[in-house]
Amino acid sequence: MNFAQTWWDAVVRGFTDTHTTEVPLPALLAILACAVILSIPRVTWRWFGLYVTFVHELGHAYAALMTGRFVHGLRIGLDHSGRLVSSGRSAFGAAWSGFWGYPAPAVVGLALIAAFALGRSGAAMSVGAVVLLVSLIFLRNLTGILVAVLSAGVAQALILFATPTTVNYVVLALGIALSVGGVRDLMKLAGVHTRRRDRLAASDAFILGRTTGVPAFVWLAGFTVVIAGCAAVSAWLLWGMLSSSS
């Protein structure tokens, strides 16, 4: 059996198998602590933030594809900046694509935590492995390519070689980390609109306001509602895990 067939069988197996893991309270608290450590201190956020930015830009890209827009390329900077270039005739498509950047990490984080809770971490990992491979065609700069290749490589290794329990722990940890990272990015964006207005030109809310005529604060409120909603549901799921573990 060749490697491609082995890989595909592993991807399919992720959708057909279910595996639940009861996480002890100390392990869950340790995962929560690690997620905070990755997202709060600048020294760790400098690197993990690149992955959160990658998910942010993929949110723009796949939202664009949903409305029939053509994605020309995606770039990620070491300063956590990102830029997606897409084209299409629909004004709705441009606004839809522009909206789903900041909420993407929180949405993906919730999806991963929910997948873990339902025993479907394998399916989440299989989806992620395929999405990350497809995403490689969008990248147009070295930083973005390195982040994507590393992310895709880890995902492929996990679906091929990791035990179901390991996959469960990774999916849960990544879901929590993305949820925390998504909230951190939202707070940073709010700071741009309140204290660092010299950086407004790079804000998705400001860009959407300028291109659609809908005020930037409305878009910012929309980001907040989606991210806060995802964070609340994620917290509720984690609380259920904590309650069952205690």
Side-chain angles (χ1 to χ4, degrees), residues 36-122:
V36 171
I37 290 171
L38 282 173
S39 295
I40 304 304
R42 289 186 179 182
V43 65
T44 49
W45 177 250
R46 177 182 178 184
W47 303 110
F48 182 65
L50 289 174
Y51 181 72
V52 175
T53 299
F54 179 47
V55 176
H56 172 125
E57 294 302 326
L58 289 183
H60 286 312
Y62 284 100
L65 293 173
M66 286 173 61
T67 60
R69 293 178 67 83
F70 183 81
V71 176
H72 298 278
L74 185 160
R75 294 174 177 271
I76 297 172
L78 285 173
D79 60 352
H80 299 177
S81 61
R83 182 168 182 254
L84 177 80
V85 178
S86 66
S87 62
R89 296 182 178 180
S90 168
F92 170 78
W96 180 260
S97 172
F99 179 83
W100 286 105
Y102 277 100
V107 171
V108 174
L110 171 58
L112 292 176
I113 294 170
F116 172 86
L118 296 171
R120 304 296 298 181
S121 295

Side-chain angles (χ1 to χ4, degrees), residues 100-140:
W100 286 105
Y102 277 100
V107 171
V108 174
L110 171 58
L112 292 176
I113 294 170
F116 172 86
L118 296 171
R120 304 296 298 181
S121 295
M125 187 60 69
S126 291
V127 170
V130 173
V131 166
L132 287 169
L133 282 178
V134 172
S135 300
L136 289 171
I137 65 177
F138 300 145
L139 278 300
R140 295 293 184 270

Side-chain angles (χ1 to χ4, degrees), residues 2 104 110 242:
N2 60 35
L110 171 58
L242 282 170

